[in-house]
Amino acid sequence: MSLFKARDWWSATLGEGEEFDQGCLCVGDVDNSGTGYDKVVVGSYMGMLRIFFPHANKSSEGGPADAQLLEVQLQNAIIQVEVGKFLSCSDLLHLAVLHPRKLSVYCISGTAGHIYHGDQYQLKLVYEHNLQRTACNMTFGTFGGVTDHHYLCIQSMDGMLMFFEQDSYTFGRFLPGFLLPGPLAYNPRTDSFLTVSSARQLESYKYETLTVASDAESRQDANLPLKSGGKRLMPDWTFVLGEQALDICVPSFSHSSASVLVLGERNLFCFDDNGHIRFMKKLEFNPSCFLPYASVTDGTINLLLGNHNNMLQVYQNVTLKWAAQLSFVPVAVRVANFPELKGVVVSLSSDGHLFCSYMGTDPSFFTTPKVDAREADYEQVEAEMKKLQRCIRELTRTQDILPKTDTGEDLLVNATVSSRMDKPSRALILDIDGLPVPSVTVQVHLKANSVLQSSKLFVCVQPPLAVTQDQFVLEPMGVGSKKVVEFSAYLNGRYPPADLTGDITISYSSPTGCPRVLQSRFVLPLALVCVPTSPAKSTKFKITVDTNQPPVDLSSIFQEFSAKAEDKDGTCLAFQFLSGAKVTMLASKTSQRYRVQSDSFEDMWLVVKELVQRFDQHFSKLGIKDFKKSFSGTLPLQDYFLSVDRHFQLRVNSQRYQDLLSDQAAQFRAIQRRLLARFKDKTPAPLQNLDTLLDATYNQMMALADAAAENQVLLVEAFVRVRSATHLLVLLLSLWQGLTPDQTAILEATLLPVLQDTPQLGWEECCDAAVSHLLRTCLSRSPKDQATSLAQAGGPELCLPQDTSRLKRHITLLCDRIGKGGRLTLCSEANVQVPAQVQSLVAPGGVEPIAEVAGEWGEVDVPKETTKFIKQKQPSKKVKKEKESKEKKDVSLEPSEVAVREEAERPGEPLKEAKKEKKEKKESKKDSSKEAKELKEESKKESKKESSKEKKESKEKKERDKDKEAKEAVKESGDKKVSRKSSVKVKEKKKESEAVED
């Protein structure tokens, strides 16, 4: 509770469900009692007019009802109320009430009572004006210098100022450049009207200028010539505020400090009468209303300022003098004089809380009771300290970024996928290449354990999968209520997805009002994207998975596909994807192997993943705990890099299309400017085929736009295929080295850092940065290299690379270091590689490789493996020497890149040769330096000889041709020797480079 708060003097609550705004409050001696005391007049948007004469609550009897003089229900909403001399034949005060389509002037009269019930007040209509336009606000004053009575000015919603002299309508004028109405005020010192236009500038119009301006029978465009003989309406002066104004006040209590105050959304402005700014105050809150009042200091202005923090502040110019806490946000504030207290602050809230208060403090007289002095039990304190330290230690051990959810959830979510396809299908594409496209129904069961509000459900699936409805707005749920949401998923593209999982996100508000989000996941069946078919005998890509258990009948694992399969012995099964690719699965007859083969490398991912998962489920049901699976073949990196190259080429094409489109658009605009200049010229000039050039440029732009859109579709498909290929590579690596789930998750996050391509950030640069980070940290060769890489500054900015050679080299090096026993971890410890002797004892994954037997896979032919990753030909000593000479050239590169390049050039070198290389370094440096010098001298000699030949041939005559031929023959014989030496060295370099690439 604040010490500086508004002291309650009198308060009342006006009606229920009524709304009030800035113009709904005014104070004055509206009943003309002659005592000089004010009455409070309040009007609401519901048409209720109330008049109060507050007094201090000395007893519990009476209260607000005793202070209420009048309450009348009018037919229309009340926008604004004002008290003034609105009748020419009388000096009494009258009440002006502004309705949306009517202006009414009333007379409040009171009759003294001679009985217990007291005085009686009546509301009498003096005159009214029916408005042709919807009113927004109004102001009054002595327009034109009149005395003893007030005129009225009403601003309409369409920007028209309507002037009334008592009971007669005078004229109307439209404000120039009007869009939305702003606050309106009258300055009696300059006889001008002030408003803030939609251009966020303060404008001043003199009354004399408004009277002589053109008549506003109908709204005219400011650029059109005037129909009558009046002048065009122009402001006397303007000032750019830069923000919308909430209210304008022109205080008239002191002529020495003539000022105009404007309350903006973030600032308070003070101007003089000529539009020059006096001061400006930047507010640190959102204001709601303000009111200037008289100051005892000359040259200063005091004002009350209400804000949305329930505060009422008192400023003297720009200095904060006092702040009082209110219980609501004031929308209007006035200062009134009452018999018992003068200078009472009257404030009104938007929901009808009328509050009369004064400034002051409310000190608290509460004193804390004395606590009985007791001796401390040190043993109990020590036990409590140990308990708290144990809790702190347990909490600091957890490294979770997201907070753990409560044990009792407000909402339980369970998503189930139907085991049967929908009949009929709800897919948008009926068939693909003659195969019908099925759909499957997903049901989401919701159960609320508490009252939930504003619940929304969102469904997200991976492209090209789609759902019938991806957003649901749920009704409020009570405790124990249940709800079921259904939708169907189907294939909406001509290529298989990279993932069959879908995400469900539910956002809701808890009973305490806190927003919360729940997530759930569902897995779509494989039968949604493929159908059973006949197996293929010859394929391009093959993957073999080894197990340590007897062969399993494939028809028992894939029951939904075995019914239509042609092979009845369960050793062969084929899947036909709806996009056209065919994947064949074979079970070995003599060993514990399973092979997946297809003509599309990416399409094998879903089948291999499904095979591994169903094996785990099958053997876990049988109770076999020592089931192991592995991949003992060679990693298909070259096939994987083909998908990477295709995706990168489409990204390059997309960038080229964007550049061409920008060039064509610039040319199109330039031609348009020239044509426009020709058309505007008074003397006609020939177009010089500019129109033909414009049409051709437009056609080129449309063709480029179509090509860019088509390339974007292909880019989305290529990225999905890259994701599939990456998932397959990660699975093979985990099977090859027996990685744990945590290590597999790190590897997958490294090779798939983004889920979709964007023009600013693509997959290639993100993957390269992530792989480079692993190579520098947990997969570094030694602690020294790791410390050097970690000490470097941040890496380069991520952008589209020139090619994919660096990415391929890093991925190859990543696989090589993992194959040598590298440990994938997020810790910063140096990686310790497993010795080669230990690696040779047990194969990766703990399963010994089994040699293949002829005829093991039946009729299907097994192609020869063309690429080798693990076992490669060891490079010769000359190759090692030239590699070390290349290291000198890479001094300018980063040490991390040099390390990466060294490892990429020798992926198959064993660990034992590392010691031998250190001994041979000194000798190789000398040999490489000598070879480099010899090559430089030979190249210089050849260049000198060739230049001398050309000079001699141009100077000598034809008679000495025979002598030249003899000399040249001698020189050519020497050149042949040099060329033979260089050709031999070039051949050696080619062989060495081929060995490095392998």
Side-chain angles (χ1 to χ4, degrees), residues 233-260:
L233 181 59
M234 295 294 292
D236 184 31
W237 56 264
T238 61
F239 186 90
V240 178
L241 300 178
E243 58 182 319
Q244 191 59 40
L246 301 179
D247 196 5
I248 302 175
C249 285
V250 182
S252 58
F253 41 79
S254 176
H255 292 281
S256 60
S257 59
S259 301
V260 176

PDB file of all heavy atoms in Angstrom, residues 233-260:
ATOM      1  N   LEU A 233      -9.737  26.916 -47.048  1.00  0.00           N
ATOM      2  CA  LEU A 233      -9.440  26.894 -45.627  1.00  0.00           C
ATOM      3  C   LEU A 233      -8.018  26.396 -45.412  1.00  0.00           C
ATOM      4  O   LEU A 233      -7.653  25.309 -45.851  1.00  0.00           O
ATOM      5  CB  LEU A 233     -10.443  25.995 -44.900  1.00  0.00           C
ATOM      6  CG  LEU A 233     -10.280  25.895 -43.374  1.00  0.00           C
ATOM      7  CD1 LEU A 233     -10.409  27.267 -42.740  1.00  0.00           C
ATOM      8  CD2 LEU A 233     -11.310  24.941 -42.802  1.00  0.00           C
ATOM      9  N   MET A 234      -7.227  27.214 -44.733  1.00  0.00           N
ATOM     10  CA  MET A 234      -5.841  26.869 -44.421  1.00  0.00           C
ATOM     11  C   MET A 234      -5.591  27.171 -42.946  1.00  0.00           C
ATOM     12  O   MET A 234      -6.108  28.140 -42.397  1.00  0.00           O
ATOM     13  CB  MET A 234      -4.864  27.681 -45.280  1.00  0.00           C
ATOM     14  CG  MET A 234      -4.949  27.382 -46.758  1.00  0.00           C
ATOM     15  SD  MET A 234      -4.433  25.691 -47.148  1.00  0.00           S
ATOM     16  CE  MET A 234      -2.698  25.804 -46.762  1.00  0.00           C
ATOM     17  N   PRO A 235      -4.783  26.354 -42.245  1.00  0.00           N
ATOM     18  CA  PRO A 235      -4.502  26.624 -40.830  1.00  0.00           C
ATOM     19  C   PRO A 235      -3.633  27.861 -40.652  1.00  0.00           C
ATOM     20  O   PRO A 235      -2.794  28.188 -41.503  1.00  0.00           O
ATOM     21  CB  PRO A 235      -3.786  25.348 -40.361  1.00  0.00           C
ATOM     22  CG  PRO A 235      -3.208  24.764 -41.592  1.00  0.00           C
ATOM     23  CD  PRO A 235      -4.145  25.099 -42.709  1.00  0.00           C
ATOM     24  N   ASP A 236      -3.841  28.526 -39.521  1.00  0.00           N
ATOM     25  CA  ASP A 236      -3.052  29.705 -39.207  1.00  0.00           C
ATOM     26  C   ASP A 236      -1.610  29.309 -38.886  1.00  0.00           C
ATOM     27  O   ASP A 236      -0.672  29.975 -39.313  1.00  0.00           O
ATOM     28  CB  ASP A 236      -3.699  30.440 -38.024  1.00  0.00           C
ATOM     29  CG  ASP A 236      -2.975  31.728 -37.697  1.00  0.00           C
ATOM     30  OD1 ASP A 236      -2.421  32.333 -38.639  1.00  0.00           O
ATOM     31  OD2 ASP A 236      -2.940  32.121 -36.526  1.00  0.00           O
ATOM     32  N   TRP A 237      -1.398  28.246 -38.144  1.00  0.00           N
ATOM     33  CA  TRP A 237      -0.074  27.691 -37.883  1.00  0.00           C
ATOM     34  C   TRP A 237      -0.224  26.212 -37.519  1.00  0.00           C
ATOM     35  O   TRP A 237      -1.297  25.777 -37.091  1.00  0.00           O
ATOM     36  CB  TRP A 237       0.660  28.452 -36.771  1.00  0.00           C
ATOM     37  CG  TRP A 237      -0.063  28.555 -35.461  1.00  0.00           C
ATOM     38  CD1 TRP A 237      -0.830  29.580 -35.041  1.00  0.00           C
ATOM     39  CD2 TRP A 237      -0.088  27.569 -34.396  1.00  0.00           C
ATOM     40  NE1 TRP A 237      -1.343  29.337 -33.794  1.00  0.00           N
ATOM     41  CE2 TRP A 237      -0.887  28.104 -33.370  1.00  0.00           C
ATOM     42  CE3 TRP A 237       0.491  26.321 -34.220  1.00  0.00           C
ATOM     43  CZ2 TRP A 237      -1.140  27.425 -32.189  1.00  0.00           C
ATOM     44  CZ3 TRP A 237       0.256  25.636 -33.044  1.00  0.00           C
ATOM     45  CH2 TRP A 237      -0.554  26.188 -32.046  1.00  0.00           C
ATOM     46  N   THR A 238       0.845  25.498 -37.715  1.00  0.00           N
ATOM     47  CA  THR A 238       0.872  24.061 -37.422  1.00  0.00           C
ATOM     48  C   THR A 238       2.162  23.722 -36.680  1.00  0.00           C
ATOM     49  O   THR A 238       3.163  24.446 -36.762  1.00  0.00           O
ATOM     50  CB  THR A 238       0.790  23.207 -38.703  1.00  0.00           C
ATOM     51  OG1 THR A 238       1.925  23.509 -39.536  1.00  0.00           O
ATOM     52  CG2 THR A 238      -0.482  23.480 -39.467  1.00  0.00           C
ATOM     53  N   PHE A 239       2.120  22.606 -35.973  1.00  0.00           N
ATOM     54  CA  PHE A 239       3.297  22.087 -35.274  1.00  0.00           C
ATOM     55  C   PHE A 239       3.215  20.557 -35.290  1.00  0.00           C
ATOM     56  O   PHE A 239       2.209  19.984 -34.877  1.00  0.00           O
ATOM     57  CB  PHE A 239       3.352  22.598 -33.833  1.00  0.00           C
ATOM     58  CG  PHE A 239       4.622  22.201 -33.119  1.00  0.00           C
ATOM     59  CD1 PHE A 239       5.733  23.022 -33.173  1.00  0.00           C
ATOM     60  CD2 PHE A 239       4.708  21.010 -32.401  1.00  0.00           C
ATOM     61  CE1 PHE A 239       6.905  22.665 -32.516  1.00  0.00           C
ATOM     62  CE2 PHE A 239       5.870  20.648 -31.762  1.00  0.00           C
ATOM     63  CZ  PHE A 239       6.977  21.480 -31.817  1.00  0.00           C
ATOM     64  N   VAL A 240       4.275  19.923 -35.774  1.00  0.00           N
ATOM     65  CA  VAL A 240       4.305  18.459 -35.888  1.00  0.00           C
ATOM     66  C   VAL A 240       4.602  17.861 -34.514  1.00  0.00           C
ATOM     67  O   VAL A 240       5.661  18.109 -33.929  1.00  0.00           O
ATOM     68  CB  VAL A 240       5.346  18.004 -36.914  1.00  0.00           C
ATOM     69  CG1 VAL A 240       5.391  16.476 -36.969  1.00  0.00           C
ATOM     70  CG2 VAL A 240       5.041  18.575 -38.282  1.00  0.00           C
ATOM     71  N   LEU A 241       3.647  17.087 -33.986  1.00  0.00           N
ATOM     72  CA  LEU A 241       3.825  16.425 -32.694  1.00  0.00           C
ATOM     73  C   LEU A 241       4.524  15.076 -32.821  1.00  0.00           C
ATOM     74  O   LEU A 241       5.264  14.661 -31.947  1.00  0.00           O
ATOM     75  CB  LEU A 241       2.457  16.224 -32.012  1.00  0.00           C
ATOM     76  CG  LEU A 241       1.649  17.495 -31.708  1.00  0.00           C
ATOM     77  CD1 LEU A 241       0.319  17.112 -31.090  1.00  0.00           C
ATOM     78  CD2 LEU A 241       2.411  18.411 -30.769  1.00  0.00           C
ATOM     79  N   GLY A 242       4.241  14.365 -33.898  1.00  0.00           N
ATOM     80  CA  GLY A 242       4.830  13.039 -34.068  1.00  0.00           C
ATOM     81  C   GLY A 242       4.095  11.942 -33.337  1.00  0.00           C
ATOM     82  O   GLY A 242       4.529  10.792 -33.354  1.00  0.00           O
ATOM     83  N   GLU A 243       2.975  12.252 -32.690  1.00  0.00           N
ATOM     84  CA  GLU A 243       2.177  11.247 -32.005  1.00  0.00           C
ATOM     85  C   GLU A 243       0.745  11.754 -31.909  1.00  0.00           C
ATOM     86  O   GLU A 243       0.480  12.948 -32.072  1.00  0.00           O
ATOM     87  CB  GLU A 243       2.742  10.961 -30.615  1.00  0.00           C
ATOM     88  CG  GLU A 243       2.817  12.183 -29.717  1.00  0.00           C
ATOM     89  CD  GLU A 243       3.421  11.853 -28.365  1.00  0.00           C
ATOM     90  OE1 GLU A 243       3.071  10.790 -27.836  1.00  0.00           O
ATOM     91  OE2 GLU A 243       4.221  12.641 -27.861  1.00  0.00           O
ATOM     92  N   GLN A 244      -0.165  10.839 -31.637  1.00  0.00           N
ATOM     93  CA  GLN A 244      -1.562  11.216 -31.537  1.00  0.00           C
ATOM     94  C   GLN A 244      -1.824  11.873 -30.174  1.00  0.00           C
ATOM     95  O   GLN A 244      -1.238  11.492 -29.167  1.00  0.00           O
ATOM     96  CB  GLN A 244      -2.463   9.992 -31.711  1.00  0.00           C
ATOM     97  CG  GLN A 244      -3.929  10.317 -31.884  1.00  0.00           C
ATOM     98  CD  GLN A 244      -4.209  11.198 -33.088  1.00  0.00           C
ATOM     99  OE1 GLN A 244      -3.613  11.010 -34.143  1.00  0.00           O
ATOM    100  NE2 GLN A 244      -5.089  12.149 -32.927  1.00  0.00           N
ATOM    101  N   ALA A 245      -2.700  12.880 -30.156  1.00  0.00           N
ATOM    102  CA  ALA A 245      -3.012  13.603 -28.930  1.00  0.00           C
ATOM    103  C   ALA A 245      -4.251  13.015 -28.274  1.00  0.00           C
ATOM    104  O   ALA A 245      -5.186  12.561 -28.958  1.00  0.00           O
ATOM    105  CB  ALA A 245      -3.218  15.087 -29.214  1.00  0.00           C
ATOM    106  N   LEU A 246      -4.251  13.027 -26.936  1.00  0.00           N
ATOM    107  CA  LEU A 246      -5.403  12.562 -26.176  1.00  0.00           C
ATOM    108  C   LEU A 246      -6.333  13.702 -25.794  1.00  0.00           C
ATOM    109  O   LEU A 246      -7.551  13.515 -25.749  1.00  0.00           O
ATOM    110  CB  LEU A 246      -4.938  11.836 -24.901  1.00  0.00           C
ATOM    111  CG  LEU A 246      -4.036  10.612 -25.100  1.00  0.00           C
ATOM    112  CD1 LEU A 246      -3.653  10.022 -23.752  1.00  0.00           C
ATOM    113  CD2 LEU A 246      -4.726   9.567 -25.950  1.00  0.00           C
ATOM    114  N   ASP A 247      -5.777  14.885 -25.510  1.00  0.00           N
ATOM    115  CA  ASP A 247      -6.612  16.006 -25.081  1.00  0.00           C
ATOM    116  C   ASP A 247      -5.836  17.301 -25.285  1.00  0.00           C
ATOM    117  O   ASP A 247      -4.593  17.311 -25.319  1.00  0.00           O
ATOM    118  CB  ASP A 247      -7.002  15.836 -23.607  1.00  0.00           C
ATOM    119  CG  ASP A 247      -8.164  16.745 -23.227  1.00  0.00           C
ATOM    120  OD1 ASP A 247      -8.711  17.413 -24.128  1.00  0.00           O
ATOM    121  OD2 ASP A 247      -8.519  16.783 -22.033  1.00  0.00           O
ATOM    122  N   ILE A 248      -6.600  18.397 -25.430  1.00  0.00           N
ATOM    123  CA  ILE A 248      -6.047  19.751 -25.564  1.00  0.00           C
ATOM    124  C   ILE A 248      -6.762  20.635 -24.546  1.00  0.00           C
ATOM    125  O   ILE A 248      -7.996  20.608 -24.459  1.00  0.00           O
ATOM    126  CB  ILE A 248      -6.227  20.314 -26.985  1.00  0.00           C
ATOM    127  CG1 ILE A 248      -5.554  19.407 -28.015  1.00  0.00           C
ATOM    128  CG2 ILE A 248      -5.666  21.730 -27.084  1.00  0.00           C
ATOM    129  CD1 ILE A 248      -5.801  19.834 -29.443  1.00  0.00           C
ATOM    130  N   CYS A 249      -5.993  21.420 -23.797  1.00  0.00           N
ATOM    131  CA  CYS A 249      -6.561  22.340 -22.815  1.00  0.00           C
ATOM    132  C   CYS A 249      -5.938  23.718 -23.015  1.00  0.00           C
ATOM    133  O   CYS A 249      -4.715  23.828 -23.232  1.00  0.00           O
ATOM    134  CB  CYS A 249      -6.306  21.867 -21.388  1.00  0.00           C
ATOM    135  SG  CYS A 249      -7.350  20.481 -20.881  1.00  0.00           S
ATOM    136  N   VAL A 250      -6.808  24.757 -22.915  1.00  0.00           N
ATOM    137  CA  VAL A 250      -6.351  26.148 -23.001  1.00  0.00           C
ATOM    138  C   VAL A 250      -6.720  26.821 -21.672  1.00  0.00           C
ATOM    139  O   VAL A 250      -7.860  27.283 -21.507  1.00  0.00           O
ATOM    140  CB  VAL A 250      -6.983  26.872 -24.191  1.00  0.00           C
ATOM    141  CG1 VAL A 250      -6.446  28.303 -24.295  1.00  0.00           C
ATOM    142  CG2 VAL A 250      -6.729  26.111 -25.487  1.00  0.00           C
ATOM    143  N   PRO A 251      -5.822  26.853 -20.695  1.00  0.00           N
ATOM    144  CA  PRO A 251      -6.159  27.482 -19.409  1.00  0.00           C
ATOM    145  C   PRO A 251      -6.296  29.000 -19.553  1.00  0.00           C
ATOM    146  O   PRO A 251      -5.514  29.644 -20.254  1.00  0.00           O
ATOM    147  CB  PRO A 251      -4.976  27.106 -18.516  1.00  0.00           C
ATOM    148  CG  PRO A 251      -3.857  26.828 -19.454  1.00  0.00           C
ATOM    149  CD  PRO A 251      -4.470  26.275 -20.699  1.00  0.00           C
ATOM    150  N   SER A 252      -7.300  29.536 -18.896  1.00  0.00           N
ATOM    151  CA  SER A 252      -7.576  30.973 -18.975  1.00  0.00           C
ATOM    152  C   SER A 252      -7.575  31.640 -17.613  1.00  0.00           C
ATOM    153  O   SER A 252      -8.118  32.720 -17.453  1.00  0.00           O
ATOM    154  CB  SER A 252      -8.938  31.195 -19.647  1.00  0.00           C
ATOM    155  OG  SER A 252      -9.961  30.540 -18.932  1.00  0.00           O
ATOM    156  N   PHE A 253      -6.944  31.009 -16.621  1.00  0.00           N
ATOM    157  CA  PHE A 253      -6.954  31.584 -15.279  1.00  0.00           C
ATOM    158  C   PHE A 253      -5.840  32.600 -15.080  1.00  0.00           C
ATOM    159  O   PHE A 253      -5.852  33.344 -14.121  1.00  0.00           O
ATOM    160  CB  PHE A 253      -6.839  30.486 -14.214  1.00  0.00           C
ATOM    161  CG  PHE A 253      -5.852  29.409 -14.574  1.00  0.00           C
ATOM    162  CD1 PHE A 253      -4.487  29.584 -14.414  1.00  0.00           C
ATOM    163  CD2 PHE A 253      -6.315  28.203 -15.086  1.00  0.00           C
ATOM    164  CE1 PHE A 253      -3.596  28.585 -14.742  1.00  0.00           C
ATOM    165  CE2 PHE A 253      -5.418  27.196 -15.415  1.00  0.00           C
ATOM    166  CZ  PHE A 253      -4.073  27.382 -15.253  1.00  0.00           C
ATOM    167  N   SER A 254      -4.813  32.662 -15.969  1.00  0.00           N
ATOM    168  CA  SER A 254      -3.710  33.603 -15.814  1.00  0.00           C
ATOM    169  C   SER A 254      -3.312  34.115 -17.185  1.00  0.00           C
ATOM    170  O   SER A 254      -2.917  33.330 -18.054  1.00  0.00           O
ATOM    171  CB  SER A 254      -2.514  32.924 -15.126  1.00  0.00           C
ATOM    172  OG  SER A 254      -1.415  33.797 -15.059  1.00  0.00           O
ATOM    173  N   HIS A 255      -3.424  35.446 -17.410  1.00  0.00           N
ATOM    174  CA  HIS A 255      -3.048  36.018 -18.698  1.00  0.00           C
ATOM    175  C   HIS A 255      -1.541  36.219 -18.803  1.00  0.00           C
ATOM    176  O   HIS A 255      -1.020  36.407 -19.901  1.00  0.00           O
ATOM    177  CB  HIS A 255      -3.749  37.369 -18.887  1.00  0.00           C
ATOM    178  CG  HIS A 255      -5.228  37.232 -19.049  1.00  0.00           C
ATOM    179  ND1 HIS A 255      -5.810  36.855 -20.227  1.00  0.00           N
ATOM    180  CD2 HIS A 255      -6.252  37.416 -18.161  1.00  0.00           C
ATOM    181  CE1 HIS A 255      -7.138  36.821 -20.090  1.00  0.00           C
ATOM    182  NE2 HIS A 255      -7.423  37.169 -18.824  1.00  0.00           N
ATOM    183  N   SER A 256      -0.847  36.206 -17.676  1.00  0.00           N
ATOM    184  CA  SER A 256       0.605  36.401 -17.730  1.00  0.00           C
ATOM    185  C   SER A 256       1.317  35.206 -18.337  1.00  0.00           C
ATOM    186  O   SER A 256       2.383  35.352 -18.933  1.00  0.00           O
ATOM    187  CB  SER A 256       1.153  36.676 -16.327  1.00  0.00           C
ATOM    188  OG  SER A 256       0.873  35.571 -15.468  1.00  0.00           O
ATOM    189  N   SER A 257       0.731  34.020 -18.178  1.00  0.00           N
ATOM    190  CA  SER A 257       1.333  32.803 -18.742  1.00  0.00           C
ATOM    191  C   SER A 257       0.340  32.168 -19.702  1.00  0.00           C
ATOM    192  O   SER A 257      -0.279  31.148 -19.384  1.00  0.00           O
ATOM    193  CB  SER A 257       1.720  31.830 -17.630  1.00  0.00           C
ATOM    194  OG  SER A 257       0.581  31.486 -16.872  1.00  0.00           O
ATOM    195  N   ALA A 258       0.157  32.806 -20.838  1.00  0.00           N
ATOM    196  CA  ALA A 258      -0.770  32.274 -21.839  1.00  0.00           C
ATOM    197  C   ALA A 258      -0.165  31.032 -22.458  1.00  0.00           C
ATOM    198  O   ALA A 258       0.908  31.095 -23.071  1.00  0.00           O
ATOM    199  CB  ALA A 258      -1.050  33.334 -22.903  1.00  0.00           C
ATOM    200  N   SER A 259      -0.852  29.916 -22.329  1.00  0.00           N
ATOM    201  CA  SER A 259      -0.291  28.648 -22.790  1.00  0.00           C
ATOM    202  C   SER A 259      -1.394  27.790 -23.383  1.00  0.00           C
ATOM    203  O   SER A 259      -2.585  27.958 -23.089  1.00  0.00           O
ATOM    204  CB  SER A 259       0.379  27.884 -21.642  1.00  0.00           C
ATOM    205  OG  SER A 259       1.410  28.646 -21.059  1.00  0.00           O
ATOM    206  N   VAL A 260      -0.956  26.867 -24.226  1.00  0.00           N
ATOM    207  CA  VAL A 260      -1.808  25.823 -24.803  1.00  0.00           C
ATOM    208  C   VAL A 260      -1.154  24.495 -24.466  1.00  0.00           C
ATOM    209  O   VAL A 260       0.002  24.245 -24.828  1.00  0.00           O
ATOM    210  CB  VAL A 260      -1.946  25.987 -26.329  1.00  0.00           C
ATOM    211  CG1 VAL A 260      -2.749  24.830 -26.905  1.00  0.00           C
ATOM    212  CG2 VAL A 260      -2.596  27.309 -26.670  1.00  0.00           C
TER     213      VAL A 260
END
